[in-house]
Amino acid sequence: MADLCHVPPEILLPAANETLELALGSQIALNCTVRWAATEHCEPVPAWTKDGQWLGSESSQDTAWFGQNASERLLASVLQLNLTHDADFGVFACWVSNATATFTLRRVEAAGHVPAVLAALLVLVLLVLLAGLYVRCRLNMLLWYRNHYGELEINDGKLYDAYVSHATAPDDRKFVHFIMKPQLENRYGYKLFLDEQTILPNSEPSADLIMNVSRCRRLIVVLSVAYLEQDWCNSSFREGLWRLLELSKKPIFIVFESQYREITHPAISLLKQHRSAVTLLVWRAGSMTPSSDFWKELCLALPRKVSFQGTMGDPQTQLQEDKDPMLILHSSYLDSGGDLHPDGDLGTGLRGYVFGSPKPPRIGGPGTPMALAASTMEDTQVRDSQKTELDISDLGSRNYGARTDFYCLVTEDDI
């Protein structure tokens, strides 16, 4: 090593002891650059050590030059390394006169392609499982969300959940009356209005159809081969479809798979083109089971059902608090079975239990129980003999004008 300088050279590179993490098989160049004053009459010679062992001078490439103002000199020593073995890693030190720079080389495992490929396959399998789960459980999830957070169609004045139009063919009647109606009404609690008449005679909705559909929340059409033989289906199905879209919100059309492939009617292609405006369902061989996708899709197309404990009838109708006697299912107060003389009291005042109300009790003294028993026997005798003892000889002289004493709220003295 050459003579030491009076002032130690300044290390420019590296700025501090440097630690490098490299993979096996890497190549690296360690650069050690120093600077010292030109007035120093010394010629520093760089030397390298590895783990305290001196390396030969041929292991590095040294370059010296003057600075810009010729008052300083610079020296760069570059050590080339090929890290092909574990022994090639360690602590390397660059000695320039009485200055030292240290490089620490550590081995790290290189990220191979196998973990990346395995991770990609795992993500792909997970996506496939999620896709299969969605396809299998999509309808169940949609039904659950609709039943918990769907829109409630109440207070809308509707009496039925769906208006079902079908043909008079025996197969259509069996399907509607023995399959669809029991399933929707008994299992899901829907209320259906069945009609086998032509809904669009002369391609125009009849007054009965408008009235009946206005009472229903949905419209279901069983589009069988027999149904497509109707005049409006053959002559103007497109115009009839627009009429149905005006009457009902997204009508539901049901076709049979056995006939679906054989039907060449333009109505099927027209319904396919307007899937966003209508609901097209296909009855397949496996649709008979209650858990089939057909019933789930049909329930999704029908309104959300509301059920309350302790109520009778359709709660979506009862919530309207409609007191119209024509809409009350159990209007027992209209029953006059308890009235002995529904045509009038004939002036006797003996009318029985009007509107199901009991007779007023009699007020008496200490002997009230005895009096009640006696009065009960007396009333029984009166009722048994009223037909024979009733005197109606003065009916013609009686005044049958309207009584006004019931409506007098104040007397003349109060005025």
Side-chain angles (χ1 to χ4, degrees):
M1 180 175 293
D3 297 336
L4 299 180
C5 299
H6 297 289
V7 179
E10 178 186 0
I11 299 178
L12 300 179
L13 292 176
N17 294 335
E18 189 172 356
T19 301
L20 303 175
E21 294 182 351
L22 303 170
L24 189 65
S26 302
Q27 294 181 355
I28 190 173
L30 303 181
N31 185 1
C32 178
T33 303
V34 297
R35 177 179 58 186
W36 70 94
T39 56
E40 290 282 345
H41 299 285
C42 61
E43 292 291 337
V45 177
W48 290 85
T49 62
K50 176 183 179 298
D51 298 333
Q53 301 294 326
W54 293 100
L55 300 177
S57 59
E58 67 279 359
S59 60
S60 63
Q61 297 178 359
D62 304 331
T63 304
W65 69 94
F66 284 95
Q68 295 180 355
N69 53 9
S71 62
E72 60 183 11
R73 298 187 63 184
L74 292 93
L75 174 65
S77 179
V78 178
L79 179 64
Q80 297 287 344
L81 296 176
N82 292 325
L83 306 177
T84 56
H85 302 86
D86 292 338
D88 296 333
F89 295 86
V91 179
F92 293 83
C94 174
W95 300 82
V96 181
S97 184
N98 47 355
T100 307
T102 304
F103 299 86
T104 302
L105 304 184
R106 296 178 181 176
R107 177 184 174 181
V108 295
E109 295 295 335
H113 298 290
V114 176
V117 172
L118 293 178
L121 290 177
L122 181 61
V123 172
L124 182 60
V125 171
L126 183 61
L127 291 177
V128 172
L129 291 178
L130 290 178
L133 184 63
Y134 175 77
V135 172
R136 186 176 182 84
C137 304
R138 178 181 63 89
L139 295 177
N140 292 330
M141 292 187 292
L142 292 177
L143 277 175
W144 179 88
Y145 182 82
R146 198 280 305 269
N147 294 334
H148 287 80
Y149 306 103
E151 179 184 0
L152 291 176
E153 300 184 30
I154 58 177
N155 297 330
D156 53 2
K158 307 294 185 181
L159 301 180
Y160 300 91
D161 292 303
Y163 178 98
V164 182
S165 176
H166 62 94
T168 58
D171 292 339
D172 292 23
R173 286 182 174 179
K174 292 178 182 179
F175 173 76
V176 172
H177 290 274
F178 295 101
I179 297 179
M180 189 167 70
K181 185 176 185 293
Q183 183 75 4
L184 292 180
E185 291 190 347
N186 300 337
R187 181 178 177 86
Y188 296 103
Y190 289 107
K191 189 176 181 181
L192 305 181
F193 182 89
L194 307 182
D195 187 12
E196 59 184 25
Q197 303 298 325
T198 302
I199 59 176
L200 293 177
N202 300 323
S203 301
E204 291 293 335
S206 62
D208 292 340
L209 173 68
I210 297 176
M211 180 183 64
N212 294 330
V213 173
S214 65
R215 297 175 178 176
C216 304
R217 299 184 178 94
R218 296 292 187 275
L219 171 62
I220 301 177
V221 177
V222 182
L223 204 62
S224 62
V225 174
Y227 195 94
L228 290 174
E229 294 177 355
Q230 299 181 9
D231 294 338
W232 73 274
C233 294
N234 291 322
S235 60
S236 55
F237 184 84
R238 181 183 295 272
E239 290 75 9
L241 179 60
W242 303 146
R243 299 291 186 272
L244 297 181
L245 290 175
E246 295 174 356
L247 295 176
S248 178
K249 171 185 177 182
K250 199 170 186 180
I252 305 168
F253 292 87
I254 300 176
V255 297
F256 300 96
E257 184 183 25
S258 57
Q259 305 174 359
Y260 182 70
R261 300 174 181 176
E262 302 175 358
I263 293 178
T264 58
H265 199 280
I268 301 300
S269 59
L270 184 63
L271 292 176
K272 291 180 179 179
Q273 296 174 5
H274 298 84
R275 280 185 176 271
S276 59
V278 302
T279 300
L280 182 60
L281 302 180
V282 180
W283 174 267
R284 308 180 188 277
S287 300
M288 183 65 70
T289 58
S291 60
S292 65
D293 292 344
F294 174 84
W295 299 112
K296 297 175 184 178
E297 293 178 354
L298 183 57
C299 288
L300 281 175
L302 292 174
R304 171 186 172 186
K305 286 304 297 178
V306 181
S307 60
F308 295 95
Q309 298 294 334
T311 60
M312 300 178 62
D314 186 2
Q316 291 175 303
T317 302
Q318 290 193 357
L319 284 178
Q320 304 173 49
E321 299 183 356
D322 195 341
K323 302 304 181 183
D324 188 351
M326 299 303 293
L327 298 179
I328 296 179
L329 299 178
H330 301 279
S331 54
S332 59
Y333 65 88
L334 295 178
D335 186 11
S336 59
D339 192 354
L340 297 178
H341 299 282
D343 296 332
D345 59 359
L346 301 180
T348 62
L350 301 175
R351 288 187 56 84
Y353 301 122
V354 180
F355 298 110
S357 59
K359 296 182 66 175
R362 297 187 179 185
I363 303 177
T368 299
M370 299 287 294
L372 288 175
S375 63
T376 303
M377 295 179 61
E378 180 181 354
D379 293 340
T380 304
Q381 294 176 359
V382 169
R383 287 196 298 271
D384 294 340
S385 61
Q386 69 181 46
K387 292 185 178 180
T388 58
E389 298 178 0
L390 187 61
D391 184 11
I392 58 174
S393 59
D394 58 343
L395 288 180
S397 62
R398 294 186 181 184
N399 182 13
Y400 292 96
R403 297 180 62 180
T404 60
D405 55 337
F406 292 107
Y407 309 100
C408 183
L409 301 181
V410 296
T411 61
E412 294 181 358
D413 298 337
D414 296 332
I415 299 176

